[in-house]
CSV table of all heavy atoms in Angstrom, one decimal:
chain,number,residue,atom,x,y,z
A,289,SER,N,17.9,-36.4,38.5
A,289,SER,CA,17.8,-37.1,37.3
A,289,SER,C,19.2,-37.6,37.1
A,289,SER,O,19.9,-37.9,38.1
A,289,SER,CB,17.4,-36.2,36.1
A,289,SER,OG,17.5,-36.8,34.9
A,290,ASP,N,19.7,-37.7,35.9
A,290,ASP,CA,21.1,-38.2,35.6
A,290,ASP,C,21.7,-37.4,34.5
A,290,ASP,O,21.0,-37.0,33.6
A,290,ASP,CB,21.0,-39.7,35.2
A,290,ASP,CG,22.4,-40.3,35.2
A,290,ASP,OD1,23.2,-40.1,34.3
A,290,ASP,OD2,22.7,-41.1,36.1
A,291,ILE,N,23.0,-37.2,34.6
A,291,ILE,CA,23.6,-36.3,33.6
A,291,ILE,C,23.6,-37.0,32.2
A,291,ILE,O,23.8,-36.4,31.2
A,291,ILE,CB,25.1,-36.0,33.9
A,291,ILE,CG1,25.8,-37.2,34.3
A,291,ILE,CG2,25.1,-34.9,35.0
A,291,ILE,CD1,27.3,-37.2,34.0
A,292,GLY,N,23.2,-38.3,32.2
A,292,GLY,CA,23.1,-39.0,30.9
A,292,GLY,C,21.8,-38.7,30.1
A,292,GLY,O,21.7,-39.0,29.0
A,293,TRP,N,20.9,-37.9,30.8
A,293,TRP,CA,19.6,-37.6,30.1
A,293,TRP,C,19.6,-36.1,29.9
A,293,TRP,O,20.3,-35.3,30.5
A,293,TRP,CB,18.4,-38.0,31.0
A,293,TRP,CG,18.4,-39.4,31.4
A,293,TRP,CD1,18.5,-39.9,32.7
A,293,TRP,CD2,18.4,-40.6,30.6
A,293,TRP,NE1,18.5,-41.2,32.7
A,293,TRP,CE2,18.4,-41.7,31.4
A,293,TRP,CE3,18.3,-40.8,29.2
A,293,TRP,CZ2,18.4,-43.0,30.9
A,293,TRP,CZ3,18.3,-42.1,28.7
A,293,TRP,CH2,18.3,-43.2,29.6
A,294,VAL,N,18.7,-35.7,29.0
A,294,VAL,CA,18.6,-34.2,28.7
A,294,VAL,C,18.2,-33.4,30.0
A,294,VAL,O,18.7,-32.3,30.2
A,294,VAL,CB,17.6,-34.0,27.6
A,294,VAL,CG1,16.2,-34.2,28.0
A,294,VAL,CG2,17.8,-32.6,27.0
A,295,VAL,N,17.4,-34.0,30.8
A,295,VAL,CA,17.0,-33.2,32.0
A,295,VAL,C,18.3,-32.9,32.9
A,295,VAL,O,18.4,-31.8,33.4
A,295,VAL,CB,16.0,-34.0,32.9
A,295,VAL,CG1,15.7,-33.4,34.2
A,295,VAL,CG2,14.7,-34.2,32.1
A,296,GLY,N,19.2,-33.9,32.9
A,296,GLY,CA,20.4,-33.7,33.6
A,296,GLY,C,21.3,-32.6,33.0
A,296,GLY,O,21.9,-31.8,33.6
A,297,HIS,N,21.4,-32.7,31.6
A,297,HIS,CA,22.2,-31.6,30.9
A,297,HIS,C,21.7,-30.2,31.2
A,297,HIS,O,22.4,-29.3,31.6
A,297,HIS,CB,22.2,-31.8,29.4
A,297,HIS,CG,23.1,-32.9,28.9
A,297,HIS,ND1,23.0,-34.2,29.3
A,297,HIS,CD2,24.2,-32.9,28.1
A,297,HIS,CE1,23.9,-34.9,28.7
A,297,HIS,NE2,24.7,-34.1,28.0
A,298,SER,N,20.3,-30.1,31.0
A,298,SER,CA,19.7,-28.8,31.1
A,298,SER,C,19.6,-28.3,32.6
A,298,SER,O,19.8,-27.1,32.8
A,298,SER,CB,18.4,-28.8,30.4
A,298,SER,OG,18.5,-28.9,29.1
A,299,TYR,N,19.2,-29.2,33.5
A,299,TYR,CA,18.8,-28.7,34.8
A,299,TYR,C,19.6,-29.2,36.0
A,299,TYR,O,19.4,-28.8,37.1
A,299,TYR,CB,17.3,-28.7,35.0
A,299,TYR,CG,16.6,-27.8,34.0
A,299,TYR,CD1,15.9,-28.4,32.9
A,299,TYR,CD2,16.9,-26.5,34.0
A,299,TYR,CE1,15.3,-27.5,32.0
A,299,TYR,CE2,16.3,-25.6,33.0
A,299,TYR,CZ,15.5,-26.2,32.0
A,299,TYR,OH,15.0,-25.3,31.1
A,300,ILE,N,20.6,-30.1,35.7
A,300,ILE,CA,21.6,-30.4,36.8
A,300,ILE,C,22.8,-29.5,36.5
A,300,ILE,O,23.3,-28.8,37.3
A,300,ILE,CB,22.0,-31.8,36.8
A,300,ILE,CG1,20.9,-32.8,37.2
A,300,ILE,CG2,23.2,-32.0,37.8
A,300,ILE,CD1,21.2,-34.2,37.2
A,301,VAL,N,23.2,-29.5,35.2
A,301,VAL,CA,24.5,-28.8,34.9
A,301,VAL,C,24.2,-27.4,34.4
A,301,VAL,O,24.5,-26.4,35.1
A,301,VAL,CB,25.3,-29.6,33.9
A,301,VAL,CG1,26.6,-28.9,33.6
A,301,VAL,CG2,25.5,-31.0,34.4
A,302,TYR,N,23.7,-27.2,33.1
A,302,TYR,CA,23.9,-25.9,32.5
A,302,TYR,C,22.9,-24.8,33.0
A,302,TYR,O,23.4,-23.7,33.2
A,302,TYR,CB,23.8,-26.1,31.0
A,302,TYR,CG,25.1,-26.8,30.5
A,302,TYR,CD1,25.0,-28.1,30.0
A,302,TYR,CD2,26.3,-26.3,30.6
A,302,TYR,CE1,26.1,-28.8,29.6
A,302,TYR,CE2,27.5,-26.9,30.2
A,302,TYR,CZ,27.3,-28.2,29.7
A,302,TYR,OH,28.5,-28.9,29.3
A,303,GLY,N,21.6,-25.2,33.1
A,303,GLY,CA,20.7,-24.1,33.5
A,303,GLY,C,21.1,-23.4,34.8
A,303,GLY,O,21.2,-22.2,34.9
A,304,PRO,N,21.2,-24.2,35.9
A,304,PRO,CA,21.5,-23.6,37.2
A,304,PRO,C,22.8,-22.9,37.2
A,304,PRO,O,22.9,-21.8,37.8
A,304,PRO,CB,21.6,-24.8,38.1
A,304,PRO,CG,20.8,-25.9,37.5
A,304,PRO,CD,20.9,-25.7,36.0
A,305,LEU,N,23.8,-23.4,36.5
A,305,LEU,CA,25.1,-22.7,36.5
A,305,LEU,C,25.1,-21.4,35.7
A,305,LEU,O,25.6,-20.4,36.1
A,305,LEU,CB,26.2,-23.6,36.1
A,305,LEU,CG,26.5,-24.8,37.0
A,305,LEU,CD1,27.6,-25.7,36.4
A,305,LEU,CD2,26.8,-24.4,38.4
A,306,LEU,N,24.4,-21.5,34.6
A,306,LEU,CA,24.2,-20.2,33.8
A,306,LEU,C,23.6,-19.1,34.6
A,306,LEU,O,23.8,-17.9,34.5
A,306,LEU,CB,23.3,-20.5,32.6
A,306,LEU,CG,24.0,-21.2,31.4
A,306,LEU,CD1,22.9,-21.6,30.4
A,306,LEU,CD2,25.0,-20.3,30.7
A,307,HIS,N,22.7,-19.5,35.5
A,307,HIS,CA,21.9,-18.6,36.3
A,307,HIS,C,22.5,-18.2,37.6
A,307,HIS,O,22.0,-17.4,38.4
A,307,HIS,CB,20.5,-19.3,36.6
A,307,HIS,CG,19.4,-18.3,36.8
A,307,HIS,ND1,19.1,-17.2,36.0
A,307,HIS,CD2,18.4,-18.3,37.8
A,307,HIS,CE1,18.1,-16.6,36.4
A,307,HIS,NE2,17.6,-17.2,37.5
A,308,GLY,N,23.7,-18.7,37.9
A,308,GLY,CA,24.4,-18.4,39.2
A,308,GLY,C,23.7,-19.1,40.4
A,308,GLY,O,23.8,-18.6,41.5
A,309,CYS,N,23.1,-20.2,40.1
A,309,CYS,CA,22.4,-21.0,41.2
A,309,CYS,C,23.4,-22.0,41.8
A,309,CYS,O,24.5,-22.2,41.3
A,309,CYS,CB,21.2,-21.7,40.7
A,309,CYS,SG,19.9,-20.6,40.3
A,310,THR,N,22.9,-22.6,42.9
A,310,THR,CA,23.6,-23.8,43.4
A,310,THR,C,22.9,-25.0,42.9
A,310,THR,O,21.7,-25.1,43.0
A,310,THR,CB,23.6,-23.8,45.0
A,310,THR,OG1,24.2,-22.6,45.4
A,310,THR,CG2,24.3,-25.0,45.6
A,311,THR,N,23.6,-26.0,42.3
A,311,THR,CA,23.0,-27.1,41.8
A,311,THR,C,23.4,-28.4,42.6
A,311,THR,O,24.5,-28.5,43.0
A,311,THR,CB,23.3,-27.3,40.3
A,311,THR,OG1,22.4,-28.4,39.8
A,311,THR,CG2,24.7,-27.6,40.0
A,312,VAL,N,22.4,-29.3,42.8
A,312,VAL,CA,22.7,-30.5,43.6
A,312,VAL,C,22.9,-31.6,42.6
A,312,VAL,O,22.0,-31.9,41.7
A,312,VAL,CB,21.5,-30.8,44.5
A,312,VAL,CG1,21.8,-32.2,45.2
A,312,VAL,CG2,21.3,-29.7,45.5
A,313,LEU,N,24.0,-32.3,42.7
A,313,LEU,CA,24.3,-33.5,41.9
A,313,LEU,C,24.0,-34.7,42.9
A,313,LEU,O,24.8,-34.9,43.8
A,313,LEU,CB,25.7,-33.5,41.5
A,313,LEU,CG,26.2,-34.6,40.6
A,313,LEU,CD1,25.6,-34.6,39.2
A,313,LEU,CD2,27.8,-34.6,40.5
A,314,TYR,N,23.0,-35.5,42.6
A,314,TYR,CA,22.6,-36.5,43.6
A,314,TYR,C,22.9,-37.9,43.1
A,314,TYR,O,22.4,-38.3,42.0
A,314,TYR,CB,21.0,-36.4,43.8
A,314,TYR,CG,20.4,-37.4,44.7
A,314,TYR,CD1,20.6,-37.3,46.1
A,314,TYR,CD2,19.7,-38.5,44.2
A,314,TYR,CE1,20.0,-38.2,47.0
A,314,TYR,CE2,19.2,-39.4,45.1
A,314,TYR,CZ,19.3,-39.3,46.4
A,314,TYR,OH,18.8,-40.2,47.3
A,315,GLU,N,23.8,-38.6,43.8
A,315,GLU,CA,24.2,-39.9,43.4
A,315,GLU,C,23.5,-40.9,44.3
A,315,GLU,O,23.9,-41.2,45.4
A,315,GLU,CB,25.7,-40.1,43.5
A,315,GLU,CG,26.2,-41.4,42.9
A,315,GLU,CD,27.7,-41.6,43.1
A,315,GLU,OE1,28.3,-40.9,44.0
A,315,GLU,OE2,28.2,-42.5,42.4
A,316,GLY,N,22.3,-41.4,43.8
A,316,GLY,CA,21.5,-42.3,44.7
A,316,GLY,C,20.1,-42.4,44.0
A,316,GLY,O,19.9,-41.9,42.9
A,317,LYS,N,19.3,-43.2,44.7
A,317,LYS,CA,17.9,-43.4,44.1
A,317,LYS,C,17.0,-42.7,45.1
A,317,LYS,O,17.3,-42.3,46.2
A,317,LYS,CB,17.6,-44.9,44.1
A,317,LYS,CG,18.6,-45.7,43.3
A,317,LYS,CD,18.1,-45.9,41.9
A,317,LYS,CE,19.1,-46.6,41.1
A,317,LYS,NZ,18.8,-46.8,39.7
A,318,PRO,N,15.7,-42.5,44.6
A,318,PRO,CA,14.8,-41.8,45.5
A,318,PRO,C,14.4,-42.7,46.7
A,318,PRO,O,14.0,-42.2,47.8
A,318,PRO,CB,13.5,-41.7,44.6
A,318,PRO,CG,13.8,-42.4,43.4
A,318,PRO,CD,15.2,-42.7,43.3
A,319,VAL,N,14.5,-44.0,46.6
A,319,VAL,CA,14.3,-44.9,47.7
A,319,VAL,C,15.4,-45.9,47.8
A,319,VAL,O,16.1,-46.2,46.8
A,319,VAL,CB,12.9,-45.7,47.5
A,319,VAL,CG1,11.7,-44.8,47.5
A,319,VAL,CG2,13.0,-46.5,46.2
A,320,GLY,N,15.6,-46.5,49.0
A,320,GLY,CA,16.5,-47.6,49.1
A,320,GLY,C,18.0,-47.1,49.3
A,320,GLY,O,18.9,-48.0,49.4
A,321,THR,N,18.3,-45.9,49.2
A,321,THR,CA,19.7,-45.4,49.4
A,321,THR,C,19.8,-44.4,50.4
A,321,THR,O,20.2,-43.3,50.1
A,321,THR,CB,20.3,-44.9,48.0
A,321,THR,OG1,19.5,-43.8,47.5
A,321,THR,CG2,20.4,-46.0,47.0
A,322,PRO,N,19.6,-44.6,51.7
A,322,PRO,CA,19.0,-45.9,52.2
A,322,PRO,C,17.5,-45.8,52.4
A,322,PRO,O,16.9,-46.9,52.7
A,322,PRO,CB,19.7,-46.0,53.5
A,322,PRO,CG,19.9,-44.6,54.0
A,322,PRO,CD,20.1,-43.7,52.8
A,323,ASP,N,16.9,-44.7,52.2
A,323,ASP,CA,15.5,-44.6,52.6
A,323,ASP,C,14.7,-43.6,51.7
A,323,ASP,O,15.3,-42.9,50.9
A,323,ASP,CB,15.2,-44.3,54.0
A,323,ASP,CG,15.9,-43.0,54.4
A,323,ASP,OD1,15.7,-42.0,53.6
A,323,ASP,OD2,16.6,-42.9,55.4
A,324,ALA,N,13.4,-43.6,51.9
A,324,ALA,CA,12.5,-42.8,51.0
A,324,ALA,C,12.5,-41.3,51.5
A,324,ALA,O,11.8,-40.5,51.0
A,324,ALA,CB,11.1,-43.3,51.1
A,325,GLY,N,13.4,-41.0,52.4
A,325,GLY,CA,13.5,-39.6,52.9
A,325,GLY,C,14.6,-38.8,52.4
A,325,GLY,O,14.8,-37.6,52.8
A,326,GLN,N,15.4,-39.4,51.5
A,326,GLN,CA,16.6,-38.7,51.0
A,326,GLN,C,16.3,-37.4,50.3
A,326,GLN,O,17.1,-36.4,50.5
A,326,GLN,CB,17.5,-39.6,50.2
A,326,GLN,CG,18.2,-40.7,51.0
A,326,GLN,CD,19.0,-40.2,52.1
A,326,GLN,OE1,19.9,-39.4,51.8
A,326,GLN,NE2,18.8,-40.6,53.3
A,327,PHE,N,15.3,-37.4,49.4
A,327,PHE,CA,15.0,-36.1,48.7
A,327,PHE,C,14.7,-35.0,49.7
A,327,PHE,O,15.2,-33.9,49.5
A,327,PHE,CB,13.8,-36.3,47.8
A,327,PHE,CG,14.2,-37.0,46.4
A,327,PHE,CD1,15.4,-37.6,46.2
A,327,PHE,CD2,13.2,-37.0,45.4
A,327,PHE,CE1,15.6,-38.3,45.0
A,327,PHE,CE2,13.5,-37.6,44.2
A,327,PHE,CZ,14.7,-38.2,44.0
A,328,TRP,N,14.0,-35.4,50.7
A,328,TRP,CA,13.5,-34.3,51.7
A,328,TRP,C,14.8,-33.8,52.5
A,328,TRP,O,14.9,-32.7,52.8
A,328,TRP,CB,12.5,-34.8,52.6
A,328,TRP,CG,11.4,-35.7,52.0
A,328,TRP,CD1,10.8,-36.8,52.5
A,328,TRP,CD2,10.8,-35.6,50.7
A,328,TRP,NE1,9.9,-37.4,51.7
A,328,TRP,CE2,9.8,-36.6,50.5
A,328,TRP,CE3,10.9,-34.7,49.6
A,328,TRP,CZ2,9.1,-36.8,49.4
A,328,TRP,CZ3,10.2,-34.8,48.5
A,328,TRP,CH2,9.3,-35.9,48.4
Side-chain angles (χ1 to χ4, degrees):
S289 175
D290 189 287
I291 50 149
W293 308 117
V294 69
V295 173
H297 280 64
S298 292
Y299 295 113
I300 296 174
V301 183
Y302 291 110
L305 295 180
L306 283 171
H307 205 49
C309 290
T310 300
T311 187
V312 176
L313 181 74
Y314 178 78
E315 189 183 17
K317 301 269 173 179
V319 295
T321 58
D323 57 45
Q326 288 303 304
F327 279 14
W328 320 141

